[in-house]
Amino acid sequence: MENQNSSDPRAEGLKLQANEAFKANKYAQAIDLYSQAIELNGENAVYWANRALAHSKLEEYGSAIQDASKAIEIDPRYSKGYYRRGAAYLAMGKFKEALKDFQQVKKLCPNNPDASEKLKECEKAVMKLKFEEAIAVPESERRSVADSIDYHSMDVEPQYSGARIEGDVVTLDFVKKMIEDFKNQKCLHKRYAFQIVLQIREMLRALPSLVDINVPHGKHFTVCGDVHGQFYDLLNIFELTGLPSEENPYLFNGDFVDRGSFSVEVILTLFAFKCMSPSAIYLARGNHESKSMNKIYGFEGEVRSKLSEVFVELFAEVFCCLPLAHVINGKIFVVHGGLFSVDGVKLSDIRSIDRFCEPPEEGLMCELLWSDPQPLPGRGPSKRGVGLSFGGDVTKKFLQENNLDLVVRSHEVKDEGYEIEHDGKLITVFSAPNYCDQMGNKGAFIRFEAPEMKPNIVTFSAVPHPDVKPMAYANNFLRMFS
């Protein structure tokens, strides 16, 4: 973190403490300390730029852009301000805005090889984007990539020793063998991967955008949050509470992929269980089940490396078929992100969303995938720069109007793997422990038992995984900033 002389020694002391918290990966604490320094001296560009970087580490890119812009306003020649803002724009997939900031960095630091490299990578990304836009086929004329795949005619080489699907039915024996192969870092044959993903596509397409789940009297149900490609932690959840089955059903609440470098293994495992038994596992869309995120945060590169280019298109299409929310026993509303910028949204409005598209940048679908709760009442801008923040009054009103008891959502890393907010009416659950191998957080899942349906929260710690770093397949450019 950068240092700069300041007229207030107390502010400097707070900044040094903040820098130490940052180095220890305690980003929320660092933000708090930088904020205290800013209160004492709001005219020091370094405090704002340092806080911007801490916000970026918590994926609060909207706040990072605001802070970096303030640093630039205070000192228009401060290159770090442009650099931090450019990196935050980049993380949001806003390549053109990022390019302008990196051009400014280059102008201010013409002899800095690092700045030159970032600019070059950014120019490449923008060129690629322009090219993709130029050759894109209009939505109305687009054919499904699934129509061009005939997995039945694909040969399986005699030397292939991995899991095989006999006929059309995905069995528990197959899934167990596939998981064992994945554990040993072996790939599934493309023929069977196609079979699983195409079967799932048909299954998901038939579902409504809001799915009702019934948990019978005396039975239980488990809700998990983000897994983010952490395959070995997913297996640990199954160790702790059993494999998915009709007697032991799960809901995985979005963000199965990206960041963790075993995303292909995670998604094929979850999809295979659903093929095996549709009521054993329910899957909701997260903000990372989208082309723009997958392009940046690793899934697209991982699919290309472990499977093929055709699968990149196929997964993108299947992700558009995932339901957006679930209601359990008419009382518990489960969604990846959160609630809405307007009052009066009914479950029927969610049910009727045409979800078969990439997530838009505003509206109900965007907000379901991106929004976060806030401690204050009312609504506020999102720290992420997409969606919004909503208070306990918004949660309470939504529950009352729809005769619901509880909102369960995911989308945010929490130190304990979960957080209960809004007078107990909203629970965040996050199931990727030691997120990105550096956050030190626990993971959690929630178990409900009918008919009471009281949330029983179980937390767990990360387990070891093979030495493949998070973001190993990510966009070359973004890896430079992570």
Side-chain angles (χ1 to χ4, degrees):
M1 305 305 292
E2 183 147 334
N3 296 303
Q4 182 173 305
N5 289 334
S6 158
S7 55
D8 191 323
R10 288 175 305 162
E12 269 304 279
L14 285 162
K15 186 203 67 183
L16 292 173
Q17 286 177 47
N19 290 358
E20 288 308 309
F22 184 94
K23 285 178 199 157
N25 298 337
K26 294 180 175 165
Y27 304 119
Q29 191 185 336
I31 287 167
D32 185 43
L33 289 161
Y34 288 133
S35 302
Q36 291 176 47
I38 286 165
E39 275 175 37
L40 292 170
N41 177 11
E43 293 304 306
N44 185 316
V46 172
Y47 299 170
W48 292 95
N50 284 9
R51 192 172 75 174
L53 185 58
H55 277 302
S56 283
K57 288 290 188 181
L58 290 179
E59 301 177 24
E60 295 170 353
Y61 301 117
S63 298
I65 287 163
Q66 281 180 332
D67 279 1
S69 298
K70 182 69 179 172
I72 292 162
E73 184 190 310
I74 293 165
D75 181 358
R77 296 198 55 74
Y78 182 45
S79 63
K80 279 267 171 77
Y82 296 100
Y83 188 95
R84 301 261 157 88
R85 189 171 69 181
Y89 276 134
L90 188 76
M92 292 177 73
K94 296 185 183 241
F95 294 111
K96 289 167 190 171
E97 290 89 338
L99 182 61
K100 285 181 197 154
D101 278 336
F102 288 119
Q103 284 167 338
Q104 194 61 33
V105 174
K106 179 79 170 103
K107 205 181 288 179
L108 292 167
C109 312
N111 302 319
N112 182 330
D114 186 48
S116 304
E117 192 189 350
K118 297 279 189 291
L119 180 59
K120 214 183 304 173
E121 282 285 348
C122 209
E123 284 167 343
K124 267 198 317 210
V126 171
M127 286 296 291
K128 189 165 181 258
L129 205 64
K130 284 183 177 164
F131 177 70
E132 285 171 358
E133 282 169 6
I135 63 165
V137 179
E139 198 69 50
S140 55
E141 296 167 30
R142 206 167 287 169
R143 284 187 63 215
S144 164
V145 66
D147 298 340
S148 65
I149 299 162
D150 176 18
Y151 64 83
H152 291 102
S153 65
M154 290 179 191
D155 289 330
V156 179
E157 303 75 14
Q159 64 269 34
Y160 173 72
S161 61
R164 292 170 182 259
I165 302 171
E166 305 299 338
D168 289 331
V169 181
V170 174
T171 63
L172 180 59
D173 283 346
F174 163 79
V175 182
K176 283 179 173 173
K177 167 78 169 124
M178 180 183 75
I179 287 172
E180 214 40 53
D181 289 347
F182 284 162
K183 261 204 276 199
N184 297 316
Q185 293 185 274
K186 289 182 187 163
C187 290
L188 179 68
H189 196 283
K190 289 185 187 65
R191 182 206 188 282
Y192 304 122
F194 274 129
Q195 188 169 344
I196 289 166
V197 180
L198 290 169
Q199 276 189 27
I200 271 291
R201 178 176 171 269
E202 292 309 304
M203 211 176 269
L204 296 176
R205 280 171 77 189
L207 295 173
S209 291
L210 175 69
V211 174
D212 288 294
I213 298 170
N214 177 48
V215 183
H217 202 98
K219 301 290 184 184
H220 64 267
F221 191 88
T222 303
V223 178
C224 296
D226 304 32
V227 178
H228 275 303
Q230 295 185 197
F231 178 67
Y232 295 84
D233 293 307
L234 172 67
L235 296 190
N236 187 37
I237 293 172
F238 295 152
E239 285 285 321
L240 292 170
T241 198
L243 292 175
S245 68
E246 284 180 23
E247 291 298 306
N248 188 35
Y250 285 82
L251 163 56
F252 282 86
N253 198 27
D255 282 15
F256 321 120
V257 301
D258 277 341
R259 293 201 176 267
S261 294
F262 303 94
S263 291
V264 166
E265 289 83 350
V266 166
I267 198 68
L268 287 176
T269 299
L270 296 176
F271 280 1
F273 273 120
K274 190 152 187 75
C275 288
M276 177 194 89
S277 173
S279 58
I281 195 164
Y282 296 84
L283 303 170
R285 193 172 191 175
N287 62 304
H288 274 266
E289 278 70 52
S290 70
K291 272 190 207 172
S292 59
M293 293 286 113
N294 298 161
K295 205 177 277 299
I296 301 171
Y297 290 99
F299 184 60
E300 188 178 294
E302 187 183 335
V303 169
R304 223 174 249 126
S305 170
K306 292 178 182 175
L307 293 166
S308 70
E309 186 66 44
V310 178
F311 275 97
V312 171
E313 278 186 71
L314 185 59
F315 276 117
E317 198 180 295
V318 173
F319 287 166
C320 292
C321 303
L322 285 161
L324 303 177
H326 293 78
V327 173
I328 308 172
N329 285 9
K331 287 296 177 188
I332 299 160
F333 180 71
V334 190
V335 66
H336 180 71
L339 301 181
F340 311 101
S341 55
V342 292
D343 287 333
V345 175
K346 296 281 192 285
L347 294 181
S348 54
D349 299 323
I350 300 167
R351 207 169 272 118
S352 61
I353 293 171
D354 179 5
R355 70 181 187 279
F356 298 96
C357 60
E358 287 302 312
E361 293 205 0
E362 55 185 23
L364 296 189
M365 180 169 167
C366 166
E367 289 161 3
L368 285 164
L369 299 180
W370 279 96
S371 294
D372 294 302
Q374 64 179 28
L376 296 171
R379 295 177 172 91
S382 164
K383 290 176 177 178
R384 299 171 189 269
V386 190
L388 70 142
S389 297
F390 58 96
D393 54 333
V394 175
T395 299
K396 193 175 171 189
K397 194 168 183 194
F398 173 77
L399 292 172
Q400 276 174 348
E401 288 177 349
N402 288 287
N403 195 23
L404 296 161
D405 292 341
L406 179 69
V407 173
V408 173
R409 45 87 62 179
S410 303
H411 194 40
E412 280 182 287
V413 61
K414 298 291 179 187
D415 285 346
E416 291 302 313
Y418 74 97
E419 189 171 348
I420 301 170
E421 295 169 85
H422 295 177
D423 295 328
K425 294 292 182 191
L426 181 142
I427 305 177
T428 298
V429 62
F430 190 86
S431 305
N434 196 25
Y435 180 47
C436 293
D437 282 2
Q438 66 171 30
M439 297 300 280
N441 60 294
K442 285 182 180 158
F445 53 83
I446 310 176
R447 194 176 154 107
F448 295 96
E449 301 215 7
E452 294 83 9
M453 300 302 281
K454 293 273 180 289
N456 176 26
I457 300 168
V458 179
T459 66
F460 59 97
S461 297
V463 295
H465 64 74
D467 187 21
V468 185
K469 299 278 180 286
M471 304 279 278
Y473 301 91
N475 179 300
N476 187 10
F477 188 35
L478 194 72
R479 256 203 330 274
M480 300 181 189
F481 299 96
S482 59

